[in-house]
Amino acid sequence: MLEIRNFSKSYTGNRKAVDQLNLSVPDGQITGFIGHNGAGKTTTLRCVAGILDFREGSIFIDGHDIHKEPVEAKRVTAFLPDNPELYDFMSGIKYLKFVADLYRIPADVRTERIGKYADAFEMTGVLGSPVSGYSHGMKQKLALISALIRAPRLLILDEPFVGLDPSAAFVMKQFLREVCEKGGSVLFSTHVLEVAEKLCDRIAIIRGGKLVEEGPTEQIVGKESLETVFLELAQEGKEDA
């Protein structure tokens, strides 16, 4: 579903935020992308989503090169940033209809999908209210609904559990698994290692812009917890610095 090959991204002063990253996200699986702040997670996700440009390496989504076929790649992708920017002047339902219009979702299909996800996230009763009056958690749920109604082949989320109450987090996990059951894939970054260990089929750990571990969750964790593995890798990074 997602193939990242020899990907690097530099900022001012030629500092590499990501350095020669190679990562595959298989069909039908959830991959957790883990690393400390500044490790390169968000930069990678934003480049995959087509928000940031890059010059080194290649990224393919469902077989589409995001440089050569950006529209085709974005059509099958949904990206949820860590702090979604929504149109506050719209009501929740108008925002969802706006997204549905952008992606040409038929009226009967959008109605069914909006109803399904809004009910699950307990948002149906507030969709008529302005987004400006929503709490952070409500905005997070609205952004999730807007991503899910598109039935993406690849769902990318940056710290999706931040701001969600336990009930909403549980519902989201179910829908992430549903995306995979339909043949899609999920890539998400998180600091909640326990969630990653229980939810993800695969784990990728990035440190200082470089991928240091990647593979099936049970293989990465072994007989230890993901937290232990992550802290051990972080300590190795300090010793190598």
Side-chain angles (χ1 to χ4, degrees), residues 205-226:
I205 300 176
I206 187 172
R207 183 182 69 216
K210 294 180 178 290
L211 192 67
V212 293
E213 287 286 346
E214 190 274 332
T217 303
E218 64 272 17
Q219 178 181 310
I220 297 295
V221 174
K223 295 181 180 180
E224 302 177 296
S225 69
L226 182 56

Side-chain angles (χ1 to χ4, degrees), residues 42-204:
T42 296
T43 295
T44 300
L45 297 185
R46 287 181 176 272
C47 286
V48 170
I51 295 173
L52 289 178
D53 193 19
F54 63 95
R55 297 182 180 180
E56 297 182 57
S58 303
I59 297 176
F60 296 86
I61 299 175
D62 204 18
H64 301 292
D65 186 321
I66 68 169
H67 275 152
K68 298 177 180 178
E69 303 174 281
V71 175
E72 290 80 0
K74 291 180 181 179
R75 185 175 288 128
V76 297
T77 305
F79 173 58
L80 183 67
D82 58 345
N83 188 24
E85 294 185 8
L86 308 175
Y87 294 119
D88 283 354
F89 62 89
M90 289 183 174
S91 65
I93 190 63
K94 284 186 177 180
Y95 177 75
L96 293 177
K97 288 181 177 180
F98 168 70
V99 172
D101 286 341
L102 283 178
Y103 289 89
R104 301 178 182 176
I105 302 173
D108 57 336
V109 176
R110 73 176 65 178
T111 298
E112 186 273 329
R113 290 178 183 173
I114 290 174
K116 170 184 175 179
Y117 296 120
D119 285 348
F121 283 110
E122 300 181 341
M123 288 287 289
T124 302
V126 298
L127 287 183
S129 303
V131 174
S132 59
Y134 285 11
S135 66
H136 175 74
M138 291 166 67
K139 289 182 177 180
Q140 187 82 347
K141 288 190 277 189
L142 183 67
L144 273 168
I145 295 169
S146 72
L148 290 167
I149 64 171
R150 294 161 48 188
R153 294 276 294 147
L154 175 65
L155 180 57
I156 308 167
L157 310 108
D158 193 0
E159 296 291 347
F161 295 97
V162 175
L164 291 183
D165 57 65
S167 176
F170 177 78
V171 170
M172 184 180 70
K173 293 173 191 176
Q174 291 181 308
F175 285 135
L176 296 188
R177 185 55 63 189
E178 183 180 274
V179 168
C180 295
E181 290 172 352
K182 293 179 179 179
S185 301
V186 176
L187 173 65
F188 75 93
S189 70
T190 182
H191 284 104
V192 187
L193 301 182
E194 184 179 358
V195 168
E197 184 173 350
K198 292 181 178 179
L199 180 62
C200 297
D201 302 296
R202 301 181 69 85
I203 296 291

